[in-house]
């Protein structure tokens, strides 16, 4: 049994989707970041960086924060969604790190500057929007040659997809990135993704491109 501390955000959904994909038993504990619950002392004991998601594995008492580390842990624990074949393994880790170090932080800044604070910092809006479009181009070219980012569907796809699901927030028209669109729609159709998306709070439907 896994305790998952999470909220309805891209980083949280990576983990709820992985737990659903693996069929692991878990209990979701909402940490409402709009009410600053990520700063509560009990949460800080398992997530000292005051960010969701975090987990505790009741099987062994291990507690973990950082979504990329959690995905790697769950993949290792279950033997799923991270190939043991060296080339596929490292390509999966590579694309996971691309998401953790690039796509997530850059798209997050677009949400902060362009969506939530428009007009306050035009240079930042331009910089992060340009970088986000560049990253979508990189992803689109990769998905032109492969169904999923690292061969088979993997934790790398699970890390990227929840960020792309906010395409509307970061003003990206998926029709400009047809391979990303095809990949996004295919993953959105997965039953585990449809369940994991609504953890911990039921949302309106998964956004779909027109
Ligand atoms: N690198 C971290 C980022 C986690 C993160 O930024 N989580 C956001 C929600 S998506 C959060 O908890 N924000 C709370 C805050 O900004 O105080 C991870 O991937 O787990």
């Amino acid at each position: 049994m896994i305790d998952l501390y999470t909220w309805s955000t891209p980083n949280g959904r990576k983990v709820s989707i992985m737990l659903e994909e693996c069929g692991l038993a878990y209990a979701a504990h909402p940490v409402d970041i709009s009410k600053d619950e990520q700063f509560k002392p009990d949460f800080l004991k398992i997530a000292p960086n005051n960010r969701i998601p975090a987990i505790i594995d009741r099987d062994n008492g291990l507690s973990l924060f950082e979504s990329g580390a959690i995905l790697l842990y769950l993949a290792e624990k279950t033997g799923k969604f991270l190939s043991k074949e060296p080339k596929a393994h490292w390509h999966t880790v590579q694309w996971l790190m691309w998401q953790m170090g690039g796509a997530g932080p850059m798209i997050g800044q677009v949400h902060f500057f362009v969506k939530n604070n428009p007009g306050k910092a035009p240079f930042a809006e331009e910089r992060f929007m340009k970088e986000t479009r560049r990253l979508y181009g990189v992803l689109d070219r990769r998905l032109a040659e492969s169904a999923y980012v690292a061969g088979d569907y993997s934790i790398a796809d699970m890390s990227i997809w929840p960020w792309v699901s906010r395409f509307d927030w970061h003003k990206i028209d998926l029709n400009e990135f047809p391979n990303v669109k095809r990949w996004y729609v295919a993953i959105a159709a997965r039953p585990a993704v449809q369940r994991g998306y609504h953890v911990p709070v039921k949302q309106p439907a998964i956004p779909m491109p027109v």
Side-chain angles (χ1 to χ4, degrees), residues 2-207:
I2 305 275
D3 285 304
L4 167 64
Y5 297 83
T6 193
W7 192 239
S8 303
T9 71
N11 288 320
R13 287 180 181 132
K14 294 174 196 175
V15 179
S16 47
I17 287 171
M18 176 64 170
L19 288 162
E20 292 286 346
E21 291 283 11
C22 293
L24 282 169
Y26 71 101
H29 305 283
V31 179
D32 185 343
I33 62 173
S34 72
K35 295 189 179 141
D36 280 351
E37 289 179 1
Q38 72 274 28
F39 297 104
K40 284 188 172 171
D42 279 354
F43 181 63
L44 291 177
K45 278 184 205 150
I46 52 169
N49 195 38
N50 60 263
R51 298 275 194 276
I52 64 91
I55 63 164
I56 297 176
D57 186 343
R58 285 193 214 168
D59 291 348
N60 55 17
L62 180 76
S63 95
L64 273 181
F65 64 95
E66 281 294 329
S67 59
I70 297 169
L71 290 176
L72 287 165
Y73 174 72
L74 295 175
E76 200 166 291
K77 178 182 173 82
T78 58
K80 291 180 177 168
F81 303 110
L82 176 59
S83 176
K84 290 187 176 52
E85 188 277 311
K87 198 169 160 191
H89 177 95
W90 287 109
H91 282 167
T92 304
V93 173
Q94 164 187 271
W95 282 100
L96 175 63
M97 295 302 152
W98 178 87
Q99 184 285 313
M100 293 298 294
M106 291 302 120
I107 293 173
Q109 296 299 335
V110 173
H111 295 167
F112 182 82
F113 286 107
V114 179
K115 177 179 178 291
N116 297 334
N117 294 286
K120 288 188 188 161
F123 185 65
E125 286 185 45
E126 188 191 333
R127 152 93 184 134
F128 293 121
M129 198 63 237
K130 190 173 166 197
E131 182 63 0
T132 293
R133 291 189 62 82
R134 185 190 69 76
L135 289 161
Y136 265 81
V138 171
L139 184 59
D140 200 62
R141 285 191 292 282
R142 173 59 188 147
L143 291 170
E145 58 193 21
S146 180
Y148 297 100
V149 290
D152 292 339
Y153 179 61
S154 73
I155 54 172
D157 301 287
M158 288 181 228
S159 74
I160 302 165
W161 184 91
W163 281 99
V164 174
S165 78
R166 290 208 161 148
F167 59 89
D168 200 29
W169 285 28
H170 47 270
K171 322 261 185 239
I172 288 286
D173 178 357
L174 288 185
N175 292 305
E176 288 182 52
F177 303 96
N179 303 298
V180 177
K181 182 179 176 183
R182 183 259 311 147
W183 165 92
Y184 177 78
V185 169
I187 294 176
R190 296 178 70 90
V193 173
Q194 292 174 4
R195 291 192 299 273
Y197 183 84
H198 295 285
V199 175
V201 178
K202 174 98 178 126
Q203 301 291 310
I206 292 176

